[in-house]
């Protein structure tokens, strides 16, 4: 099926001639910037919406870190700002604390690192790097963004309801999520949470379908699967994981909705509610069932977050080392292995639920197996760097930072994946440290890397480099200072999700450490404002890009005009003759994918 | 859409599946996962005590006949569309729509019968065995109803004189979906019979 057909079909006008010019219909402000079907615009919408959510979610962590670091201090103006419900007397209240932690987790995992990361780069890069004029279905693509947008509005509105947003943790385990009487946040807040998440699942499914169809069907001539840049492979696997795991979460939510609203007993059994002093009639349900359904998505979800980051980093490391990526096929293979394994390890989140120890040992085995493909990737990144002529651009620094925190956080995964050790470590700060480094920080760093790297393609301008360096160093040092000490707290048994540790004899010793962590959080968060300023200032006032291919890269997005219109290429879509990683080959710095193989040249076999 | 015709013949020297069709296939995989989730949850639950046993109402069988017939009429609709026999096409697409609605009604009647036997589907005295039936069968019916809505739209389009389209792709995608929902039902039926035996 041809690319032209897609674009024409969606422009809604029939043309008698087959021309190559695609800017022929009148675009208004609304169709160009708001209800746009151009994948590049949708990409920017995802990015900026994601950034808004990152600021909101980040601010929440600043607030609850204030509580954790300074449980005895109060800031009276906080009550004026947030109201009594959240900060009575300038203290973050207990209910406020749980609400903050929950919404922070939900928003960061789903809105920022799933929609913001995949949404931005899949939309930007898939059509541009495979040589397509747009997605397989630009309409579905647009709908996907708007579902995400509305999901965000619903989530945001839940913050303002009288009983507060949902506050039972981002994993939304029943009974807190199923029974309105169990906590304030379990009432309207949870209704809104679940509506928002259902909309979000729809958004993810729509975009996932589109990404898969586009990668498999819309590649330009010569772009065989093994010539795809690793970014595309990564985004492709991400979409596969999403399309296969989100529906299971949805089915879990549907059962939850029945339990909440229609009095069924899927997840509930033998409950006595002290809040109302009543024994509930529900019988035969099991909260563990929800955990299975949740983690069947929940674990793949963390790979939905990390795979695009891996793709972006592979690409940026190779370009800025001026070396082909080491082990291209091994990279693809390990991503495939991660994709496949990610579906059979979910119960490692449930080692202490009374899971059959025999099953536990099987899940331990599968879980530790994931370390293999992960290690292969790390090895290949390091080898790509080895003896490269490295250009330390901000994007490159962030990409290297990714590799660093991915290693630090991945190693602790091996501890947690061991079902015996996990009995001690489960639900402690060790866990928090693990997943923030390996997922949170790593993916955010990759996202920054991607933004710095592709900014010229998105806006035709450059971001400020000096600000980029400052941003990088404070962020990476801050991230380590925040999360590294948490390993020790966790090993000492400090549980996660407690409101105030200073009243516990065993955790009093960490008061100063908690204070230290909180202060670093404030500094690191403030530094992100530097990035925001840099980003928005550069959109309008950054140095104008003058080169079509500013990084000397080989991939197709750099063959388009500096500010490509809808349809991306002015003439024919270029044909591809080689893989994406011919750097420093035959005495040439780089060879574009569009350059035919020379007469005396051998095509890279990988 | 002349340009579409031209470009797809000139550019398309290697025959690739239409992206929208492909998208439907991926969507089908996705829907499968959702029901895989639900049916495995059912298995987990069945092994717990307090799982009520009761027999499926006969309406289930009638609805199965309706949905199987609707797949046949859907197939005939496509055939007549491709043969450009508009009248026949309209007839078959109407039949398919009605069979789809009949399927849903029969299933609703089945649930009414279960309720009449004193087995609550929802509410505090409900049993998860019955609730599960409602959720699984109900979600399937919702998928079918989605198809019915699209069929109705197509039905009205076929009466509008202004747009004469010979593009069979939307119809083929619709048919794929319809047959899938049919097969999904057969799977669910076999699953329910097997797991409850
Ligand atoms: C070597 C690979 C990895 C292994 C063996 C591993 C293992 C584990 C285990 C066993 C847990 C559960 C700990 C507990 O609850 O007691 C866990 C938690 C977690 N992991 Fe990993 N992990 C690995 C890599 C990753 C990666 C790459 C990501 C994300 C990109 C990730 C994200 C998470 C998250 C988000 C949680 C916590 C979820 C929660 O309880 O809120 N992990 N990991
Ligand atoms: Cu996991």
């Amino acid at each position: 099926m041809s690319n032209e057909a897609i674009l024409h079909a969606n422009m809604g006008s029939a043309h008698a001639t087959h021309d190559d010019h695609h800017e022929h219909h009148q675009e208004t402000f609304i169709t160009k910037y708001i209800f746009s079907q151009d994948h590049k615009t949708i990409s920017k919408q995802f990015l900026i919406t994601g950034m808004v959510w990152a600021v909101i979610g980040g601010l929440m962590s600043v607030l609850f870190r204030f509580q954790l670091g300074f449980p005895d201090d109060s800031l009276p103006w906080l009550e004026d700002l947030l109201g009594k419900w959240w900060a009575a007397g300038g203290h973050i209240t207990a209910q406020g604390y749980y609400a903050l932690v929950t919404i922070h987790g939900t928003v960061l995992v789903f809105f920022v690192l799933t929609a913001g990361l995949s949404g931005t780069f899949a939309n930007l890069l898939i059509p541009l790097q495979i040589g397509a004029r747009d997605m397989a279905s630009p309409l579905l693509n647009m709908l996907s963004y708007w579902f995400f947008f509305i999901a965000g509005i619903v989530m945001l509105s839940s913050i303002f309801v009288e009983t507060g947003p949902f506050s039972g943790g981002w994993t939304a385990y029943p009974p807190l999520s199923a029974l309105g009487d169990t906590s304030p946040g379990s009432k309207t807040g949870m209704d809104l949470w679940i509506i928002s998440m259902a909309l979000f699942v729809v958004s993810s499914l729509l975009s996932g379908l589109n990404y898969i169809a586009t990668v498999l069907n819309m590649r330009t001539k010569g772009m065989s699967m093994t010539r795809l840049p690793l970014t595309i492979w990564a985004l492709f696997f991400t979409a596969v994981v999403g399309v296969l795991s989100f529906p299971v979460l949805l089915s879990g939510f549907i059962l939850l909705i029945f339990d909440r609203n229609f009095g069924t007993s899927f997840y509930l059994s033998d409950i006595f509610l002290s809040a109302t002093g009543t024994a509930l009639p529900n019988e035969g349900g099991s909260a563990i069932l929800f955990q299975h359904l949740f983690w069947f998505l929940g674990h793949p979800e963390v790979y939905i977050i990390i795979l695009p980051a891996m793709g972006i980093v592979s690409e940026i490391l190779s370009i800025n080392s001026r070396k082909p990526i080491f082990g291209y096929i091994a990279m693809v293979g390990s991503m495939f292995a991660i994709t496949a394994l990610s579906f059979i390890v979910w119960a490692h989140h449930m080692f202490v639920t009374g899971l059959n120890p025999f099953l536990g040992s099987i899940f331990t085995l599968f879980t530790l197996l994931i370390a293999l493909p992960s290690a292969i990737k790390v090895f290949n990144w390091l080898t790509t760097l080895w003896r490269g002529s490295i250009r330390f651009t901000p994007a490159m620094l962030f990409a290297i930072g990714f590799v660093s925190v991915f290693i630090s956080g991945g190693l602790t995964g091996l501890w947690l994946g061991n079902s015996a050790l996990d009995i001690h470590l489960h639900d402690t700060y060790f866990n928090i440290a693990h997943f923030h480094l390996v997922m949170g920080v790593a993916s955010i760093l990759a996202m920054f890397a991607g933004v710095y790297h592709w900014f010229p393609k998105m806006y035709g301008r450059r971001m400020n480099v000096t600000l980029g360096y400052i941003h990088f160093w404070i962020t990476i040092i801050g991230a380590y200072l925040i999360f590294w000490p948490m390993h020790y707290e966790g090993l000492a048994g400090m549980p996660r999700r407690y409101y105030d540790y200073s009243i516990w004899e065993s955790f009093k010793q960490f008061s100063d450490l908690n204070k230290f962590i909180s202060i670093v959080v404030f500094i690191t968060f403030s530094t992100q404002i530097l990035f925001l300023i840099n980003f928005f200032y550069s959109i309008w006032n950054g140095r104008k890009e003058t080169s079509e291919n500013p990084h000397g890269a080989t991939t197709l997005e750099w063959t388009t005009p500096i500010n490509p219109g809808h349809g991306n290429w002015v003439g024919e879509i270029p044909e591809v003759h080689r893989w994406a990683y011919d750097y420093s080959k035959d005495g040439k710095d780089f060879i574009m994918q569009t350059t035919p193989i020379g007469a005396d040249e051998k095509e890279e076999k990988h | 859409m002349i340009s579409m015709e031209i470009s797809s013949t000139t550019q398309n020297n290697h025959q690739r599946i239409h992206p929208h069709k492909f998208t439907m296939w991926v969507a089908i995989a996705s829907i499968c996962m959702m029901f895989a989730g639900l049916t495995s949850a059912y298995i987990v639950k069945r092994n717990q005590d307090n799982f009520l046993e009761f027999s499926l109402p006969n309406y289930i069988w009638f609805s199965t006949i309706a949905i199987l017939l609707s797949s046949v009429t859907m197939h005939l609709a496509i055939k007549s569309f491709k043969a450009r026999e508009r009248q026949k096409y309209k007839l078959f697409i109407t039949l398919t729509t009605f069979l789809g609605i009949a399927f849903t009604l029969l299933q609703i009647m089945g649930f009414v019968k279960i309720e009449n036997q004193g087995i609550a589907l929802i509410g505090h005295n409900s049993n998860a065995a019955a609730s599960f039936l409602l959720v699984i069968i109900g979600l399937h019916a919702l998928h079918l109803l989605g198809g019915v809505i699209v069929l109705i739209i197509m039905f009205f389009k076929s009466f509008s004189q202004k747009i004469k389209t010979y593009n069979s792709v939307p119809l083929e995608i619709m048919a794929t979906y319809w047959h899938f929902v049919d097969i999904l039902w057969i799977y669910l039926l076999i699953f329910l019979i097997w797991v409850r035996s």
Side-chain angles (χ1 to χ4, degrees):
Chain A
M1 186 60 203
S2 82
N3 266 295
E4 321 296 325
I6 288 300
L7 211 59
H8 281 277
N10 285 286
M11 290 201 166
S13 49
H15 301 279
T17 54
H18 178 221
D19 59 343
D20 284 313
H21 188 59
H22 292 276
E23 292 293 294
H24 36 44
H25 76 150
Q26 214 52 45
E27 285 192 302
T28 62
F29 179 82
I30 303 245
T31 59
K32 189 156 183 220
Y33 294 106
I34 301 180
F35 295 108
S36 169
Q37 299 194 10
D38 184 344
H39 68 99
K40 296 183 294 298
T41 309
I42 297 176
S43 154
K44 292 174 196 169
Q45 292 175 324
F46 268 109
L47 178 59
I48 291 177
T49 317
M51 281 162 68
V52 170
W53 277 109
V55 172
I56 297 175
L59 263 178
M60 291 182 160
S61 69
V62 167
L63 288 173
F64 68 67
R65 269 323 306 188
F66 169 66
Q67 162 62 24
L68 292 175
F70 304 89
D72 303 323
D73 297 348
S74 66
L75 296 175
W77 53 267
L78 266 185
E79 186 182 332
D80 302 333
L81 194 68
L82 304 173
K84 253 204 166 53
W85 196 91
W86 295 90
H91 263 304
I92 301 293
T93 57
Q95 56 189 9
Y97 174 81
Y98 287 113
L100 287 172
V101 179
T102 302
I103 304 299
H104 163 81
T106 311
V107 157
L108 262 298
V109 167
F110 293 108
F111 292 178
V112 179
L113 293 178
T114 304
L117 183 62
S118 291
T120 303
F121 291 103
N123 271 304
L124 179 70
L125 296 180
I126 290 180
L128 279 172
Q129 288 195 331
I130 67 171
R133 298 229 181 260
D134 206 313
M135 290 286 179
S137 171
L139 177 70
L140 283 191
N141 207 26
M142 178 182 83
L143 284 179
S144 153
Y145 171 73
W146 287 103
F147 270 103
F148 165 50
F149 184 82
I150 299 169
I153 296 292
V154 175
M155 188 66 77
L156 192 66
S157 68
S158 82
I159 298 174
F160 298 100
V161 298
E162 202 185 337
T163 45
F166 181 53
S167 30
W170 77 280
T171 51
Y173 288 171
L176 280 184
S177 58
L179 296 172
D181 288 334
T182 46
S183 78
S186 308
K187 297 181 177 51
T188 320
M190 182 57 192
D191 287 328
L192 294 170
W193 192 92
I194 212 168
I195 293 171
S196 167
M197 286 306 298
L199 291 168
F200 182 80
V201 171
V202 173
S203 157
S204 299
L205 290 175
L206 290 181
S207 55
L209 295 180
N210 224 339
Y211 302 157
I212 296 174
T214 309
V215 172
L216 290 183
N217 293 297
M218 312 269 297
R219 302 189 308 278
T220 184
K221 202 163 170 227
M223 182 62 92
S224 59
M225 289 302 271
T226 48
R227 284 179 178 163
L228 285 175
L230 287 171
T231 31
I232 302 300
W233 272 110
L235 292 162
F236 173 70
F237 283 125
T238 307
V240 172
V241 177
V243 160
L244 296 182
S245 61
F246 270 112
V248 180
L249 179 72
L250 195 60
S251 58
F253 281 166
I254 290 169
L255 299 184
L256 185 60
I257 290 173
F258 270 80
D259 272 6
R260 274 182 76 72
N261 303 313
F262 305 121
T264 52
S265 311
F266 292 113
Y267 303 134
L268 304 171
S269 189
D270 306 316
I271 292 172
F272 180 81
L273 256 183
S274 60
T276 54
T278 46
L280 300 188
N282 304 74
E283 248 181 278
S286 142
I288 305 290
L289 178 61
F290 180 85
Q291 298 197 15
H292 278 297
L293 292 172
F294 181 87
W295 285 114
F296 189 86
L297 161 96
H299 183 81
E301 168 64 25
V302 305
Y303 286 95
I304 291 173
I305 289 173
I306 204 73
L307 281 169
M310 290 172 158
I312 290 169
V313 163
S314 304
E315 187 72 9
I316 293 174
L317 284 182
S318 173
I319 292 174
N320 290 296
S321 308
R322 313 311 293 163
K323 273 181 65 190
I325 191 81
F326 186 87
Y328 174 87
I329 285 295
M331 287 302 228
V332 177
S334 54
M335 279 195 278
F336 174 77
I338 288 176
T339 302
L341 284 172
S342 75
F343 285 103
I344 50 172
V345 299
W346 77 92
H348 66 213
H349 297 274
M350 300 166 60
F351 283 143
V352 297
T353 55
L355 192 76
N356 179 332
F358 176 70
L359 266 183
S361 64
I362 292 182
F363 277 103
T364 296
L365 178 70
F366 287 146
T367 300
L368 297 187
L369 272 180
I370 288 206
L372 271 172
S374 309
I376 292 175
K377 297 198 76 83
V378 168
F379 173 75
N380 286 353
W381 287 320
L382 295 179
T383 323
T384 303
L385 287 171
W386 179 251
R387 300 196 149 179
S389 16
I390 297 180
R391 300 173 179 167
F392 288 104
T393 61
M396 181 64 161
L397 287 178
F398 276 104
I400 296 173
F402 167 92
V403 178
S404 163
V405 289
F406 185 74
I407 297 174
S408 326
L411 286 176
T412 51
L414 297 177
W415 299 44
L416 295 165
N418 191 313
S419 55
L421 286 180
D422 190 55
I423 294 172
H424 178 62
L425 297 172
H426 176 69
D427 266 357
T428 65
Y429 266 70
F430 194 86
N431 190 1
I432 305 283
H434 159 67
F435 75 75
H436 276 91
L437 282 179
V438 75
M439 176 179 80
V441 180
S443 306
I444 278 282
L445 292 184
M447 193 164 163
F448 284 136
V451 171
Y452 281 104
H453 186 79
W454 277 288
F455 193 85
K457 191 75 259 162
M458 294 182 105
Y459 295 101
R461 293 178 186 267
R462 293 279 186 115
M463 286 176 75
N464 182 298
V465 175
T466 315
L467 285 181
Y469 288 138
I470 301 174
H471 176 213
F472 170 73
W473 284 111
I474 299 185
T475 304
I476 184 102
I477 295 172
Y480 269 117
L481 290 181
I482 292 165
F483 295 114
W484 197 266
M486 290 188 189
H487 290 110
Y488 303 109
E489 297 184 332
L491 283 173
M494 190 169 122
R496 70 196 278 203
R497 295 186 171 135
Y498 278 27
Y499 170 58
D500 183 355
Y501 294 93
S502 62
I503 53 176
W504 297 84
E505 208 48 58
S506 1
F507 311 125
K508 267 195 183 135
Q509 47 166 330
F510 292 125
S511 294
D512 288 335
L513 190 54
N514 280 335
K515 199 165 286 173
F516 169 77
I517 293 176
S518 293
I519 291 170
V520 184
V521 168
F522 305 151
I523 297 172
T524 314
F525 179 80
S526 320
T527 311
Q528 307 312 310
I529 294 168
L530 219 58
F531 168 76
L532 291 180
I533 294 173
N534 194 352
F535 181 84
F536 286 105
Y537 181 84
S538 305
I539 290 181
W540 288 284
N541 299 311
R543 186 159 61 78
K544 266 217 160 84
E545 189 55 71
T546 50
S547 157
E548 270 188 13
N549 187 359
H551 307 306
T554 61
T555 40
L556 288 182
E557 76 268 33
W558 307 109
T559 61
T560 61
I562 293 176
N563 286 306
H566 196 181
N568 298 338
W569 287 270
V570 179
E572 291 276 311
I573 301 178
E575 189 180 334
V576 164
H577 297 279
R578 58 177 77 233
W579 76 330
Y581 298 100
D582 272 339
Y583 291 101
S584 310
K585 191 188 182 200
D586 301 337
K588 294 196 199 76
D589 183 30
F590 70 100
I591 312 176
M592 300 287 288
Q593 280 192 282
T594 48
T595 313
I597 302 284
D600 48 354
E601 185 191 353
K602 259 181 56 196
E603 186 178 357
E604 199 69 40
K605 282 276 173 281
H606 43 264
Chain B
M1 292 293 120
I2 301 167
S3 66
M4 190 160 154
E5 236 84 285
I6 296 172
S7 56
S8 48
T9 42
T10 49
Q11 284 219 340
N12 222 21
N13 22 29
H14 44 286
Q15 204 58 48
R16 273 191 197 155
I17 179 173
H18 188 289
H20 292 171
K21 278 191 193 167
F22 188 82
T23 309
M24 178 48 79
W25 282 106
V26 185
I28 286 175
S30 185
I31 298 173
C32 283
M33 285 308 286
M34 176 162 168
F35 284 92
L38 286 170
T39 45
S40 31
Y42 190 105
I43 295 179
V44 172
K45 276 308 277 275
R46 191 198 49 157
N47 295 328
Q48 267 153 6
D49 45 306
N50 188 254
F51 203 69
L52 193 71
E53 308 241 338
F54 58 93
S55 57
L56 294 172
N58 279 336
Y59 288 108
I60 292 287
W61 297 105
F62 300 139
S63 71
T64 308
I65 296 173
I67 199 173
L68 285 176
L69 278 180
S70 78
S71 261
V72 177
T73 52
M74 187 77 211
H75 183 69
L76 293 174
I78 272 219
K79 260 183 120 171
S80 23
F81 185 89
K82 283 192 175 156
R84 310 222 164 151
E85 301 180 53
R86 290 188 81 78
Q87 287 311 323
K88 268 186 157 176
Y89 163 68
K90 280 181 204 167
L91 172 71
F92 285 125
I93 207 164
T94 316
L95 274 178
T96 315
T97 313
F98 277 115
L99 284 167
I101 295 173
F103 171 83
T104 320
L105 288 179
L106 284 166
Q107 297 215 320
I108 293 177
M109 282 154 76
F111 280 117
V112 172
K113 187 157 178 223
I114 295 181
E115 283 256 328
N116 287 344
Q117 288 171 352
I119 302 167
L121 298 167
I122 55 175
H124 275 315
N125 46 3
S126 64
N127 185 281
S131 313
F132 250 120
L133 220 55
L134 177 68
V135 170
I136 293 179
I137 295 182
L139 268 179
H140 172 267
L142 278 184
H143 281 84
L144 187 112
L145 281 181
V148 167
I149 291 170
V150 177
L151 272 184
I152 292 175
I153 294 171
M154 287 185 156
F155 175 79
F156 281 113
K157 269 199 179 160
S158 75
F159 276 96
S160 118
Q161 293 301 315
K162 266 176 270 154
I163 317 159
K164 274 259 185 296
T165 168
Y166 296 107
N167 181 5
S168 66
V169 170
L171 189 61
E172 283 172 36
I173 294 176
M174 182 58 215
T176 310
Y177 178 73
W178 195 267
H179 296 315
F180 160 70
V181 176
D182 186 352
I183 295 170
L184 179 63
W185 171 250
I186 302 299
Y187 158 72
L188 291 176
L189 190 66
I190 294 175
F191 170 80
L192 288 173
I193 292 171
W194 167 75
V195 79
R196 303 165 96 258
S197 63

